[in-house]
Amino acid sequence: MKPRYFVSSLLLVLALGVAACAPTAPSPAAEAPAPTTAPMAEEAAMPDIVDTAVAAGGFTTLVSALEAADLVGALKGAGPFTVFAPTDEAFAALPEGALDGLLADSKALSDVLLFHVVPGKVMAADVSDGLSAETLQGTPVKFAIVNGKPTVNGANIVSTDIEAANGVIHVIDAVILPQAEEAAAAKDIVDTAIEAGSFNTLVAAVQAAGLVDALKGEGPFTVFAPTDEAFAQVPAETLEALLADPEALGQVLLYHVVPGKVMAGDLSDGLSAETLQGAPVAFSLMADGAKVNDANIVATDIETSNGVIHVIDSVILPPAEGEGAAGAAAMGKDIVDTAIEAGSFTTLVAAVQAAGLVDALKGEGPFTVFAPTDEAFAQVPAATLEGLLADPEALAQVLLYHVVPGKVMAGDLSDGLSAETLQGAPVAFSLMADGAKVNDANIVATDIETSNGVIHVIDSVILPPAEGEGAAPAPAAAVAGNIVDTAAAAGGFTTLLAAAEAAGLADTLKGPGPFTIFAPTDDAFAKLPAGTVEGLLAEPEKLRDILLFHVVSGELTSQDLIRQHRAMSLQGRSLTVNRTGQNVMVNKANVLTPDIETSNGIIHVIDTVLIPTTGSN
């Protein structure tokens, strides 16, 4: 295969994703299962693999490639074959010109296509972590189970077990490349990053810090490479200062490098690894992907001749103290100026100004601020926010409840920890599989260091208790509306709200409660068969029955529900709550967003409409 067509494609298509959907894999096995040689009797009436792909749509590029490589006849043969079929979108992700080059080189194209075909019939249930299987191209593919989802050579298997007369198709989201070609095409870490074209700032930084020769060395190294977009999030002045200070810049860059070759499959939740800078980085595995410190790992296992690159979406910083630490505080602004420069805290900054707290938060400190984003403030009903902005004393109480004296880093947090705020009442922290919380707000970004403290970003406004010394005159009910008003302000629940009106439940859900409601989104209702919603809106009693199946008396947090495992709905049948991996499920619905507090209860957002059945208890 011609290496020029594939060096850059490696960066785009060899990503070990975590979002694929497939049955749970069995226990690991060392070798591929024995192929099924006797086709099912009913398969005789099925189309073969090629015709199945043509009929499915979404594989036009693959079919064209098979024709260009003269492989159609082979894949219409007796088989059986197992084909890992890249979608049109997978081929479209190849670098510009790569596909044209392949189509003009039938031998290279044939090698790539045959690398997607395994002799025999390998079903999804046969796949296990670490399994390898020989391909018709001659080199094996390797399977991995990442967060319960299967991959083949880093490509996500997004649909499985599409049976054909002469085998089975599994759909993948990337074009995979023969290992021999990968080895031949691989350049060192620096040259791979240069050729990718999406790491221009990183490459310039490596050059400015005098680290090019080191990262072109023997290694092996594992590099967590921030994209140009990741560097664009760094304030321009800070980046310029770093580029002008090779020593500080070198410390930041070396904090992105781990000695040795650490593949995605080697990562585990809670793992830490020493960097070349000297301080360790920490890894967390969540339902929607992996993180290093607070950066999302968005692409993995880009192999090079002297190590491996994993792509991340933000620049990570070494701790502020310790040998060689760069420390954002040394280059940073105070808390207020940092928030202003970030651009995503305009409402918070306006509130701090309206409450007369600017000078306090520009003071010596140190302070720890849990900063709600503009999106977090947008969840507060408009009238409530306007009322707070017009009442500086009440507003100040709410804002000071987001500030803890001293400098509390993410690593200082522990499950059940509480900390006194400048408002006077404490906040409580909880550590869960999918991240940390302060009260009921998710901490979505941590350890943004400033010259007078640290900022942690949160996704909702938190409220001081309604009673107690120093409590805000505006209790939770003043900021959070009732269940109906909260859902209306949030957006995304128009079908649910229309259904509640049609069923005569809107006033009930505005009542004193408290209630716990599992709220299906508009997308959840859209998944119902065509005409179902319209039919239900015409049958208020049946609709009422379904909606009450989503409501539980009392105020139950996600932790309460997990502990209880069951909850009795107002419809009279019980709901089952389980934690599956990192996900919380109610019956067969995933909880997308838990613990949205309102003045008369709590909302858990779900992705599926719950339908009571005679089997519900």
Side-chain angles (χ1 to χ4, degrees), residues 191-451:
D191 289 342
T192 299
I194 290 171
E195 191 159 283
S198 53
F199 302 101
N200 297 322
T201 310
L202 175 62
V203 170
V206 168
Q207 292 168 339
L211 293 176
V212 171
D213 289 342
L215 292 178
K216 285 173 103 32
E218 183 177 348
F221 307 110
T222 299
V223 174
F224 297 94
T227 60
D228 290 336
E229 289 76 11
F231 274 101
Q233 298 171 28
V234 178
E237 291 178 7
T238 301
L239 186 57
E240 288 170 9
L242 274 175
L243 291 171
D245 185 346
E247 184 177 350
L249 179 61
Q251 292 296 308
V252 171
L253 294 175
L254 291 173
Y255 191 58
H256 292 74
V257 186
V258 170
K261 191 173 180 180
V262 183
M263 305 301 286
D266 301 325
L267 301 180
S268 59
D269 196 46
L271 174 74
S272 66
E274 199 82 6
T275 68
L276 293 185
Q277 183 268 346
V281 288
F283 301 93
S284 53
L285 303 186
M286 297 176 290
D288 57 349
K291 283 190 168 190
V292 54
N293 287 11
D294 293 300
N296 295 300
I297 304 175
V298 296
T300 62
D301 294 349
I302 301 166
E303 296 199 60
T304 73
S305 62
N306 65 337
V308 63
I309 297 172
H310 306 296
V311 183
I312 59 177
D313 68 353
S314 60
V315 177
I316 57 175
L317 296 173
E321 289 78 32
E323 183 181 352
M331 301 166 285
K333 301 176 183 296
D334 62 47
I335 285 171
V336 176
D337 289 342
T338 299
I340 290 171
E341 193 161 275
S344 52
F345 303 102
T346 53
T347 310
L348 175 62
V349 171
V352 167
Q353 292 168 338
L357 294 177
V358 170
D359 289 342
L361 292 177
K362 282 175 136 326
E364 183 177 349
F367 307 110
T368 299
V369 175
F370 297 93
T373 61
D374 290 338
E375 289 76 10
F377 274 100
Q379 298 170 28
V380 178
T384 302
L385 185 57
E386 290 170 9
L388 279 173
L389 291 171
D391 186 343
E393 184 179 348
L395 179 60
Q397 290 295 311
V398 171
L399 294 175
L400 291 173
Y401 190 59
H402 292 74
V403 185
V404 170
K407 191 173 181 181
V408 183
M409 305 300 288
D412 301 325
L413 302 180
S414 60
D415 197 45
L417 174 74
S418 65
E420 199 82 6
T421 67
L422 293 186
Q423 184 267 347
V427 288
F429 301 93
S430 53
L431 303 185
M432 296 178 294
D434 58 348
K437 283 191 167 191
V438 54
N439 289 11
D440 292 304
N442 295 301
I443 304 175
V444 296
T446 62
D447 295 347
I448 301 170
E449 296 197 61
T450 73
S451 61

Side-chain angles (χ1 to χ4, degrees), residues 67 92 102 129 134 172 201 207 217 272 298 517 532 547 551 574:
E67 291 170 346
L102 275 177
D129 194 43
E134 200 78 10
I172 58 177
T201 310
Q207 292 168 339
S272 66
V298 296
I517 182 167
T532 302
L547 293 180
V551 185
S574 67

Side-chain angles (χ1 to χ4, degrees), residues 125-192:
D126 301 324
V127 173
S128 58
D129 194 43
L131 173 75
S132 65
E134 200 78 10
T135 67
L136 293 185
Q137 183 268 346
T139 33
V141 287
K142 187 173 181 180
F143 301 92
I145 307 298
V146 182
N147 289 341
K149 312 298 183 183
T151 66
V152 56
N153 276 38
N156 298 305
I157 304 176
V158 297
S159 184
T160 62
D161 296 346
I162 302 169
E163 295 200 58
N166 61 340
V168 63
I169 297 172
H170 305 296
V171 182
I172 58 177
D173 68 353
V175 179
I176 58 176
L177 302 173
Q179 298 298 318
E181 289 297 333
E182 291 177 22
K187 298 179 183 294
D188 62 48
I189 285 170
V190 176
D191 289 342
T192 299

Side-chain angles (χ1 to χ4, degrees), residues 440 476-477 480-481 483 511-518 551-561 563-564 567-568 570 595-604:
D440 292 304
I483 285 171
F515 306 109
T516 297
I517 182 167
F518 300 98
V551 185
V552 173
S553 179
E555 188 168 348
L556 300 176
T557 67
S558 55
Q559 294 302 308
D560 295 332
L561 291 165
R563 281 194 295 270
Q564 292 181 194
M568 185 60 68
L570 295 185
D595 303 331
I596 300 172
E597 291 201 44
T598 74
S599 62
N600 65 337
I602 194 164
I603 298 172
H604 306 289

